[in-house]
Amino acid sequence: MNRKLNMDCLDLQAFLNGLVFFAPVAVLVRTAAGVSLAQFFRLEALLSLVVLVSEIPAGKLTDRIGLRNTLVLYQVTLCLARLLLLLAYVRRSYLLFVAEAVVEGIAGSFSSGTQSAYLYRMFPGPAYLTKSAHTANWGTVGFLLSTAAYAVLYRLSGLTGLLAATVLTSACGIVASLGIRREPPQPAAQTARRPDRGVLWAALRRKEIALVMVLLAALGVGRILINFFYADKLITCGVDETWLSPIILGYSVLELSAEGLLGRLEPNRHRAALTAFLALGGGAMVVFGLVNQVALVVLMMLALPLLLDVPSYLLGEVQNRLVDDLGQAERRAELLSVCNMGVNVAEVTFLFGSSLLSGAGAAMCFCGLGLALAALGGCAHRGLKETIA
C-alpha cells in the first residue's frame, strides 16, 4: 500500500462501491415494487438485526483469515446483495427484498470495523484519520459521478438499468479488492496477553464504549434519514424532486472537505470538535425537520452529511484506542465487532421507533434524532475525556 495517501486498491474499491446509480431514487426502488414506508423501516431494522447476530462470528473469522481477506469477502457479499435488490425490484417480491436485507446485513458484518482496523494497522498515529477520510472521499467521488450519470441512465433504462449498473460496478469492486495489500502480522509484544473471556466482557461494558455505541447508532440512523427522505422533504416544500440531484452533488462536494478538516485538527482538540459537530448536526436536523422555507431547507441538506461524517471519523479512532487500552490488538476485529453489536442494538431501537413515528412523517423522525444527537454531544464531552483529548 502506498503510504503517501494517493489512490490504492482500497480507495478503488471505495470508489466503485460509491457508484450507486439508484441512490437518488432509493426509496422509489422499494415503493415502486409495493413496499410501504413502515415495511421499509422494518427492512432496515432487519438488516441491522442480521448484522447484530453475525457480528461476533464475522469478527472471529476476520481475526483468523485476516483483515484484507475479509474486505474481499465483504465485496463478494455486497455484490450478491445488490444483485438480489435488482431481482426483488424486477419481480416485485417483498420476500426477495427481505433476502436482500439479510445478505446485505451479512456483508455489513464483514465490513463492520474491518476497514477501520485495517487502516489503523497500516496507518498508525495521525495518518489514520486523514487516510480514513481520504478513502471515504474516493467513495464520495464515485457517488458524485453516479449521481451525475443517474438522470441519463434513468431516462434510457429506468430503475432496472440503474440497479443493473450498480451490480456491475460492485462486481468490478471484487476485482479491485483482490489487489488490496495484506496487513503485516501483529507484533509479538501485542499478542502475548490473552485475558479470560469474563474479564474481556467486563472491560467492554465500560461506560465509554457504551456511549460510543449509542453515538455511532444515532449517526447511522441520521444517514438513513438523509438517504431516504430528502426527496420527501423537497416535495413537502413544493419543490420538484429533480432538485435532489444537484443537492446530492453539492453535499457530496462538501463531504470531500472532511479530509482537510481532520488534517488541520490538532489532536488535543478532537473531543471539542466531536462535541461541536454533534451539537451542530443535531441542531441542523431539528431545523430541517421543523422549517419548510426552501432556502433554509436546502442549506441544511447541504450541511448535514458533513456534520455527521466528522464525528464518525473521530469515533472510529476512539474505538481503536479503546481496543489498545484493553491490550487486545490481536483481536481488534472481534472486539470492534462486539462494539458494533451494541451499535446495532441501538440502531434497531431507533429504526423501530422511526417505524412507529412514520405515520407522523419524516419531520418528526428528524427532530427526535436531532435532539438526541445534541444531548449526546454533551455526554461525549464529559464521558470521553479520558479517551480523547
Side-chain angles (χ1 to χ4, degrees), residues 45 67 73 98 165 181 190 231 237 256 263-264 271 302:
L67 296 166
L73 190 57
V98 170
R181 183 181 171 184
Q190 297 182 19
C237 294
L256 295 175
R264 289 191 294 271
R271 183 161 57 97
L302 293 173

Side-chain angles (χ1 to χ4, degrees), residues 79-102:
C79 183
L80 177 59
R82 288 179 171 173
L83 177 60
L84 283 170
L85 182 62
L86 170 61
L87 295 175
Y89 171 74
V90 170
R91 302 191 64 175
R92 305 296 194 266
S93 170
Y94 184 70
L95 287 178
L96 282 176
F97 279 114
V98 170
E100 184 275 332
V102 170

Side-chain angles (χ1 to χ4, degrees), residues 181-252:
R181 183 181 171 184
R182 295 181 186 276
E183 70 277 12
Q186 197 72 27
Q190 297 182 19
T191 62
R193 288 179 292 173
R194 286 183 174 270
D196 64 74
R197 184 67 64 177
V199 173
L200 183 60
W201 279 93
L204 289 174
R205 289 198 295 271
R206 289 168 52 176
K207 63 179 182 180
E208 297 96 332
I209 292 180
L211 178 57
V212 170
M213 289 175 180
V214 175
L215 282 165
L216 288 172
L219 291 168
V221 175
R223 291 189 193 87
I224 290 173
L225 293 178
I226 286 171
N227 290 339
F228 290 99
F229 295 107
Y230 265 18
D232 181 70
K233 185 67 174 184
L234 287 177
I235 294 171
T236 300
C237 294
V239 176
D240 192 280
E241 61 268 30
T242 56
W243 276 41
L244 188 58
S245 289
I247 288 172
I248 290 174
L249 292 172
Y251 76 60
S252 298

Side-chain angles (χ1 to χ4, degrees), residues 235-306:
I235 294 171
T236 300
C237 294
V239 176
D240 192 280
E241 61 268 30
T242 56
W243 276 41
L244 188 58
S245 289
I247 288 172
I248 290 174
L249 292 172
Y251 76 60
S252 298
V253 169
L254 286 177
E255 284 182 294
L256 295 175
S257 66
E259 181 181 356
L261 285 172
L262 292 167
R264 289 191 294 271
L265 189 62
E266 296 293 331
N268 62 353
R269 302 302 301 273
H270 283 184
R271 183 161 57 97
L274 176 64
T275 303
F277 273 90
L278 286 170
L280 288 170
M285 279 199 157
V286 171
V287 172
F288 179 79
L290 291 177
V291 305
N292 288 321
Q293 297 176 356
V294 174
L296 192 53
V297 166
V298 171
L299 179 62
M300 294 300 101
M301 283 181 163
L302 293 173
L304 265 172
L306 178 63

Side-chain angles (χ1 to χ4, degrees), residues 162-186:
L162 297 175
L163 291 166
T166 305
V167 172
L168 179 60
T169 55
S170 296
C172 292
I174 296 174
V175 178
S177 69
L178 295 174
I180 297 174
R181 183 181 171 184
R182 295 181 186 276
E183 70 277 12
Q186 197 72 27

Side-chain angles (χ1 to χ4, degrees), residues 37-88:
L37 185 59
Q39 286 176 321
F40 160 76
F41 276 120
R42 286 196 286 272
L43 285 171
E44 292 298 312
L46 173 63
L47 189 156
S48 294
L49 280 170
V50 172
V51 175
L52 174 65
V53 171
S54 53
E55 278 282 13
I56 290 183
K60 286 180 176 293
L61 179 63
T62 297
D63 286 328
R64 182 178 294 273
I65 69 174
L67 296 166
R68 178 265 184 189
N69 289 340
T70 303
L71 290 171
V72 175
L73 190 57
Y74 155 69
Q75 189 65 39
V76 172
T77 316
L78 177 65
C79 183
L80 177 59
R82 288 179 171 173
L83 177 60
L84 283 170
L85 182 62
L86 170 61
L87 295 175

